[in-house]
């Protein structure tokens, strides 16, 4: 499956949003939300910013259910494709 430029940009934006909300200088795809002490409020902030900046609605449960940054990013992209 080829990744479009839009999807690549969205993926980069999701990682940037997560890093900013979690106060991390950089996130690796294998990092976990919980590695950075992620809270429910931060999960809501991440989802709110994803909706505002990318127009993709995701639930905080998606953050909690994703084992890694890569898993969350893939879930966001999949949600965007479903729209």
């Amino acid at each position: 499956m080829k990744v479009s430029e839009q999807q690549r940009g969205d993926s980069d934006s999701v990682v940037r949003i997560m890093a900013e909300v979690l106060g991390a200088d950089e996130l690796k795809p294998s990092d976990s939300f919980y590695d950075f002490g992620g809270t429910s409020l931060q999960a809501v902030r991440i989802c709110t910013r994803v909706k505002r900046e990318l127009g993709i609605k995701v639930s905080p449960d998606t953050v909690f259910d994703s084992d890694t940054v890569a898993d969350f990013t893939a879930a966001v992209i999949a949600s965007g494709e479903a729209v």
Side-chain angles (χ1 to χ4, degrees):
M1 177 178 145
K2 286 191 169 192
V3 176
S4 73
E5 288 298 316
Q6 178 67 39
Q7 289 170 323
R8 187 172 294 114
D10 287 352
S11 293
D12 291 346
S13 294
V14 170
V15 173
R16 176 186 50 79
I17 290 166
M18 287 188 79
E20 289 173 1
V21 171
L22 294 173
D25 292 331
E26 183 179 339
L27 291 179
K28 296 180 293 225
S30 60
D31 286 336
S32 168
F33 173 76
Y34 299 106
D35 291 340
F36 295 88
T39 65
S40 58
L41 182 57
Q42 287 172 315
V44 170
R45 287 179 178 154
I46 289 167
C47 294
T48 299
R49 287 190 53 189
V50 166
K51 172 68 172 145
R52 183 176 62 228
E53 295 181 29
L54 304 177
I56 301 171
K57 184 177 180 181
V58 289
S59 165
D61 287 338
T62 305
V63 178
F64 302 135
D65 293 341
S66 299
D67 291 328
T68 64
V69 170
D71 291 340
F72 177 68
T73 301
V76 171
I77 299 306
S79 292
E81 291 174 352
V83 172

